[in-house]
Amino acid sequence: MNEIIKKASLTHELSKHEITELLKDQQYNKELFEAADRIRQKYVGDKIHLRALIEFSNICRQNCFYCGIRAANKNIERYRLSSEEIILLANNAVKSGYKTVVLQSAEDTYYTADMLAGIIQNIKKNDVAITLSIGERSYEEYKILKEAGADRFLLRIETTDKELYKKLHPNMDFENRIRCLRDLKKLGYETGTGCLVGLPGQTIDSLANDILFFKKLDADMIGLGPLIPHKETPLKDIKADGFWLSLKVLAITRLLMPNINMPATTAMETIQPQGRILALQAGANVVMPNVTDELHKNKYEIYPGKKSLNYTKLEEQFKKIGRTIA
Ligand code: 5AD
């Protein structure tokens, strides 16, 4: 196991077999996490990048089996922020010092590309990077958004296991999701993807494929985390035990993709006390504080207990582990 970790640290390449060996092993987790932490430090440094997350609509046309804001969930109050509200939240984030805002929503086609382009142009009057996380759209729409000034895009593949993908995403098409990711790359977006860990029927083999997919896509950002069951979804009875495995997927991804940006995701800190710190010490270098207004952020319940912590003490927390805010 130490040989595999060493090889990954030096060459940033592993075979699928080596990745599955690492994922299966239970004895060398500490070595794996420490190696990922060293590679993170060597390639992207000790600074933690903050991204201001704005969740602007929870109205969704999709029905992903794991997600609390899926269309079929009737026990949820739906909301949409207006262009003005979104711009105000973004401008406030810029005033607080954020250099990136992430505009995230459910798959809500109420927001046309032209409407979003207007919002983007407005926010771009500030010196700030814009990341979009709004789901699947056409090449033409992604192009309009890019030309309006969007810099980055997050679209998780969720799982590269095609059969599993099909089961969990009714009326969605794996090939279209791949098409989206290719289009985003082609258009010059810094492109992020990622996966869920702990899906029913997901194997170690398929997680290894996920990691190899990230590398093959040459993703610029990877976000991943454990599945947290939501009671209003078909996966309500699934065990939420994916934390350590997702930490390992994170660490291996860092070893193989030393330069990318990886958040300590909210799911990781929701499911495990200290989850955020553990992720930051196993390869992660980004944190995404939620700056959505209090009235709406609790309604963006993709999973229960979603943490929206008080972020005022972040700097102190980071200092304790030898890190600073970028
Ligand atoms: N538990 C954990 N993560 C989830 N996501 C959606 N539903 C859940 C859940 N129940 C993740 C998906 C999506 C991201 C925004 O949140 O991976 O891409």
Side-chain angles (χ1 to χ4, degrees), residues 66-68 104 156 158 195-196 226-230 267 302-303:
Y66 41 81
C67 186
Q104 183 166 82
R156 290 187 183 176
E158 314 292 2
C195 64
L196 279 164
L227 174 74
I228 305 175
H230 188 293
I302 46 187
Y303 46 80

Side-chain angles (χ1 to χ4, degrees), residues 24-39:
K24 276 192 281 187
D25 169 77
Q26 295 302 339
Q27 253 128 65
Y28 291 82
N29 284 351
K30 189 164 172 277
E31 285 79 358
L32 173 63
F33 300 147
E34 284 173 1
D37 200 39
R38 278 196 299 276
I39 294 300

Side-chain angles (χ1 to χ4, degrees), residues 40-207:
R40 184 270 312 151
Q41 180 176 48
K42 182 171 166 196
Y43 284 82
V44 296
D46 280 333
K47 287 194 174 5
I48 292 170
H49 298 271
L50 299 185
R51 319 294 194 204
L53 179 64
I54 299 171
E55 296 161 334
F56 65 89
S57 164
N58 69 354
I59 299 183
C60 200
R61 62 177 168 150
Q62 305 293 13
N63 261 308
C64 307
F65 267 38
Y66 41 81
C67 186
I69 63 175
R70 65 203 304 269
N73 181 6
K74 302 292 176 231
N75 287 321
I76 173 180
E77 204 180 308
R78 303 282 175 173
Y79 73 90
R80 259 182 198 135
L81 300 191
S82 67
S83 299
E84 292 71 28
E85 286 172 307
I86 300 170
I87 292 163
L88 186 67
L89 286 172
N91 287 343
N92 285 340
V94 172
K95 277 192 206 120
S96 325
Y98 288 99
K99 301 288 181 211
T100 300
V101 295
V102 182
L103 304 182
Q104 183 166 82
S105 70
E107 285 211 7
D108 186 356
T109 48
Y110 164 83
Y111 299 89
T112 61
D114 286 337
M115 191 173 166
L116 290 167
I119 296 169
I120 292 164
Q121 278 159 356
N122 221 300
I123 298 173
K124 281 299 249 186
K125 289 178 192 161
N126 304 287
D127 176 25
V128 67
I130 297 183
T131 305
L132 299 176
S133 177
I134 59 168
E136 297 181 15
R137 297 272 177 140
S138 67
Y139 180 86
E140 288 68 30
E141 289 173 291
Y142 287 151
K143 186 158 183 274
I144 292 170
L145 301 172
K146 185 78 183 63
E147 283 167 0
D151 303 278
R152 311 181 188 139
F153 204 105
L154 308 173
L155 185 75
R156 290 187 183 176
I157 191 70
E158 314 292 2
T159 175
T160 55
D161 178 332
K162 286 187 196 180
E163 284 307 307
L164 186 57
Y165 186 92
K166 207 168 164 181
K167 277 191 205 147
L168 298 175
H169 304 97
N171 303 316
M172 288 175 77
D173 178 13
F174 182 80
E175 297 308 327
N176 190 53
R177 210 161 179 85
I178 301 280
R179 190 273 304 159
C180 289
L181 287 166
R182 294 225 175 93
D183 285 354
L184 292 165
K185 277 249 146 201
K186 208 184 301 168
L187 286 162
Y189 282 94
E190 261 185 58
T191 304
T193 189
C195 64
L196 279 164
V197 179
L199 293 165
Q202 189 178 41
T203 59
I204 290 294
D205 193 75
S206 104
L207 285 170

